[in-house]
Amino acid sequence: MQFNNEVEAVNALHQSYKNIKAEIGKVVIGQDEIIKSVLIAIFSNGHCLLVGVPGLAKTLLVQTVSSVLDLNFNRIQFTPDLMPSDIIGAEILGEDRHFKFIKGPIFSNIILADEINRTPPKTQAALLEAMQEKSVTAAGHTHHLPQPFFVLATQNPIEQEGTYPLPEAQLDRFMFNIQLNYPSFADELTVVKNTTSNREVQLEKIISASEIQYFQKLVRNIPITDNVLEYAVKLAAKTRPNTALASAAINDYISWGAGPRASQFLVLGAKCHAAISGKYAPDIEDVQAVAEPILRHRIVRNYRAEAEGLSIEQIIKDLF
């Protein structure tokens, strides 16, 4: 892709975002903000954790995104007996008596990690290197994953029997923790009408892998003013108890705050949010627009906050 200047490139990203969102909207009804967050993560080269009760189209959303983007897609169903080799692959002895590496399903552009918290930490850890370094190591050899690479994971917050909490190191690698809520009555009417008839939707491929990579580089090159940059970093720093910027409420209710990766994602997310909105530089409102799903899984409440029923979302909004 070639554009005469950055303004044309941002306009192209804005238009591509609208086209992708409209195409996804043919299948996924009434989840505009969720779709927006997933696309921001993709254009920011980040990963998403989708949390919601069964039946809210988490899996359908990921499958639809992969259909609209001209990318390879693999689904991994996380179960208690899943092994690391079932994800990254393994070396086997070939007919020529030499070991060769057989790639696992992780070698794809989009990975749907379905019910990611149903597999033990040993298997979850197989994703750590892939999510951060975009590579896997087996038998001392490093294998690079295809680019672009995204992990879109789903999780059920209700049924916790037979589940394993995600390690903090893995949670921190997700750019967004997106909470899905029940649809409105009107949206549910449309969903039921569409899914109980013979209606078939043909989805078009909107954007290619090379175009996504171009837009990912464009997002990083978008300028940001010093005051917006400082606001994003301070917002993350304010979540850390017993530090200079922490408020009395943070000291009272938070046991652990967000790390530097949150600051990086706040800046990248704000840049991308501005670009898909047709703006050429982010402002403080763009930082605030992406702050909740970025900080939600990086702040740990203490027992006092839980006893008083204080939610993470309330604490984040108070930071603004």
Side-chain angles (χ1 to χ4, degrees):
M1 300 180 71
Q2 294 294 328
F3 297 99
N4 294 327
N5 51 56
E6 201 167 87
V7 171
E8 285 187 10
V10 170
N11 290 337
L13 173 55
H14 174 55
Q15 187 59 49
S16 294
Y17 163 75
K18 291 199 297 184
N19 295 341
I20 295 169
K21 189 175 181 183
E23 199 69 17
I24 295 172
K26 293 179 181 179
V27 175
V28 181
I29 308 297
Q31 299 282 13
D32 289 349
E33 287 303 313
I34 306 301
I35 295 170
K36 183 178 184 179
S37 295
V38 170
L39 294 179
I40 288 175
I42 287 174
F43 287 125
S44 302
N45 202 12
H47 311 289
C48 279
L49 178 63
L50 303 170
V51 181
V53 299
L56 295 186
K58 300 184 296 295
T59 303
L60 176 64
L61 171 60
V62 178
Q63 290 174 330
T64 306
V65 168
S66 68
S67 298
V68 172
L69 308 180
D70 192 12
L71 301 174
N72 294 324
F73 167 75
N74 273 334
R75 175 177 179 172
I76 305 174
Q77 190 67 49
F78 280 68
T79 55
D81 60 347
L82 195 72
M83 298 296 291
S85 59
D86 295 327
I87 297 175
I88 65 175
E91 285 205 334
I92 65 169
L93 187 63
E95 294 178 356
D96 57 356
R97 296 187 178 276
H98 289 86
F99 283 99
K100 61 179 179 179
F101 181 69
I102 303 299
K103 294 180 178 179
I106 195 74
F107 285 86
S108 189
N109 297 119
I110 298 180
I111 300 299
L112 167 55
D114 210 5
E115 299 277 8
I116 191 172
N117 59 330
R118 294 205 172 275
T119 197
K122 176 182 178 181
T123 305
Q124 291 177 11
L127 288 173
L128 293 178
E129 181 184 358
M131 293 174 69
Q132 183 63 29
E133 281 83 29
K134 309 295 174 66
S135 63
V136 297
T137 301
H141 297 286
T142 299
H143 306 271
H144 295 285
L145 297 171
Q147 296 299 317
F149 173 77
F150 315 104
V151 174
L152 303 177
T154 68
Q155 187 173 315
N156 175 4
I158 296 179
E159 188 183 358
Q160 297 303 316
E161 185 177 349
T163 63
Y164 304 83
L166 296 186
E168 295 297 330
Q170 185 172 358
L171 273 177
D172 198 43
R173 281 164 168 77
F174 285 103
M175 179 177 184
F176 285 152
N177 179 334
I178 303 172
Q179 303 283 338
L180 284 81
N181 297 314
Y182 290 110
S184 66
F185 182 76
D187 288 334
E188 191 166 349
L189 276 176
T190 305
V191 169
V192 174
K193 182 179 179 180
N194 291 347
T195 56
T196 56
S197 65
N198 288 323
R199 176 177 178 265
E200 292 185 7
V201 177
Q202 297 294 327
L203 295 175
E204 297 181 11
K205 302 286 187 184
I206 302 296
I207 193 170
S208 67
S210 60
E211 290 172 321
I212 291 173
Q213 289 179 286
Y214 176 87
F215 286 136
Q216 287 175 342
K217 293 177 182 177
L218 172 67
V219 166
R220 287 184 170 270
N221 288 331
I222 290 175
I224 184 170
T225 59
D226 289 343
N227 69 306
V228 178
L229 184 69
E230 289 177 9
Y231 179 84
V233 176
K234 281 184 178 178
L235 191 60
K238 285 179 181 179
T239 66
R240 301 162 192 165
N242 304 315
T243 58
L245 294 174
S247 65
I250 293 296
N251 290 332
D252 289 342
Y253 295 114
I254 299 300
S255 59
W256 201 258
R261 195 178 272 126
S263 302
Q264 296 169 337
F265 283 143
L266 283 169
V267 171
L268 279 175
K271 286 183 174 185
C272 189
H273 187 273
I276 66 172
S277 303
K279 298 190 293 186
Y280 307 112
D283 53 30
I284 288 175
E285 285 72 22
D286 292 304
V287 177
Q288 293 177 343
V290 298
E292 191 171 298
I294 288 175
L295 297 176
R296 179 184 284 129
H297 55 301
R298 294 182 165 88
I299 300 175
V300 180
R301 294 178 299 166
N302 58 23
Y303 290 113
R304 180 178 176 184
E306 293 180 9
E308 296 183 15
L310 191 64
S311 69
I312 290 293
E313 289 76 14
Q314 288 175 288
I315 294 170
I316 294 171
K317 287 175 181 175
D318 288 342
L319 292 173
F320 295 162

